[in-house]
Amino acid sequence: EETNDLYNYTFIRPNVNNFLQKLNEFAEIVIFSARNYDNALLAKKQIDPQNIYIKNVYNINNTSPLNTSFPGPKDLQCLLVNNPHRKLENIVIIDDWWDTNGLLHLTNFIPIIGWNVENIKYNLDFINYLKNDNYLLNDILPFLKTLINVEDVRPIIAEYLNNEIFKQKLTK
């Protein structure tokens, strides 16, 4: 079913298909969305129409033990349920709302500049910047490759982000 609601549309970053193809060579890819489940499935269909890269879709519904306003933090423990091969020490989330979504697991989150409706609709400079965006391929992918076969990604992510970000978030 097609929708004209802009908030249900997924703006697809340049080079995301190349990024997913290369990431799929060494990582399991899932969507863990703050959207409702149906909208998360729609995003998956828009990002991976041939169903090649994204293995599963999760959404935030009742996964967070914290009482917060929408969208709330993502509790990565739900990714472990019925998945004995997954370990929190090896989960990396790339998220544009990491400071909200990552409250429970800050050192599993890598922040990125998001593609939200407000930026796309109202900021032409931002749109022009994003047209040539290679951030996922040039910065995130090489870093993710350094995490292959690492026992615990969390201290490395904390170091990558210089840990000051985490200290600031934890003291607020």
Side-chain angles (χ1 to χ4, degrees):
E1 180 177 317
E2 295 297 318
T3 178
N4 292 326
D5 182 356
L6 209 61
Y7 288 94
N8 289 330
Y9 184 78
T10 301
F11 291 92
I12 300 173
R13 232 183 165 107
N15 297 310
V16 77
N17 287 334
N18 292 336
F19 175 75
L20 292 174
Q21 180 182 17
K22 292 176 188 302
L23 185 62
N24 191 52
E25 293 172 7
F26 63 89
E28 176 187 17
I29 305 169
V30 301
I31 291 178
F32 189 9
S33 180
R35 297 176 176 197
N36 71 44
Y37 189 72
D38 290 337
N39 287 344
L41 284 175
L42 180 60
K44 178 188 182 295
K45 182 179 176 184
Q46 291 168 345
I47 294 168
D48 186 12
Q50 273 94 32
N51 203 26
I52 297 170
Y53 308 116
I54 300 170
K55 305 303 180 217
N56 211 336
V57 174
Y58 300 86
N59 74 319
I60 237 173
N61 285 347
N62 301 320
T63 65
S64 174
L66 298 181
N67 185 11
T68 61
S69 61
F70 179 82
K74 294 178 179 177
D75 186 355
L76 302 183
Q77 294 292 334
C78 79
L79 300 176
L80 307 178
V81 175
N82 298 322
N83 291 290
H85 69 282
R86 289 188 190 147
K87 296 179 180 165
L88 199 53
E89 298 86 13
N90 301 117
I91 294 176
V92 177
I93 303 286
I94 301 168
D95 203 307
D96 60 337
W97 284 43
W98 72 277
D99 54 340
T100 299
N101 292 334
L103 286 175
L104 298 174
H105 309 279
L106 283 175
T107 53
N108 290 90
F109 280 74
I110 298 174
I112 58 169
I113 296 170
W115 281 63
N116 62 50
V117 173
E118 289 76 22
N119 285 338
I120 299 297
K121 282 173 54 176
Y122 303 116
N123 190 335
L124 293 178
D125 290 335
F126 189 70
I127 293 170
N128 288 329
Y129 163 77
L130 292 176
K131 284 181 184 176
N132 299 313
D133 177 29
N134 286 311
Y135 179 64
L136 293 175
L137 283 173
N138 294 342
D139 296 304
I140 297 297
L141 187 65
F143 175 67
L144 293 174
K145 285 182 178 181
T146 69
L147 301 176
I148 296 172
N149 298 321
V150 168
E151 193 133 339
D152 190 343
V153 300
R154 297 169 297 183
I156 297 167
I157 291 173
E159 184 179 325
Y160 176 74
L161 297 173
N162 200 15
N163 214 13
E164 289 302 313
I165 294 169
F166 299 115
K167 289 179 188 174
Q168 290 172 10
K169 294 297 174 185
L170 291 174
T171 58
K172 287 185 179 180

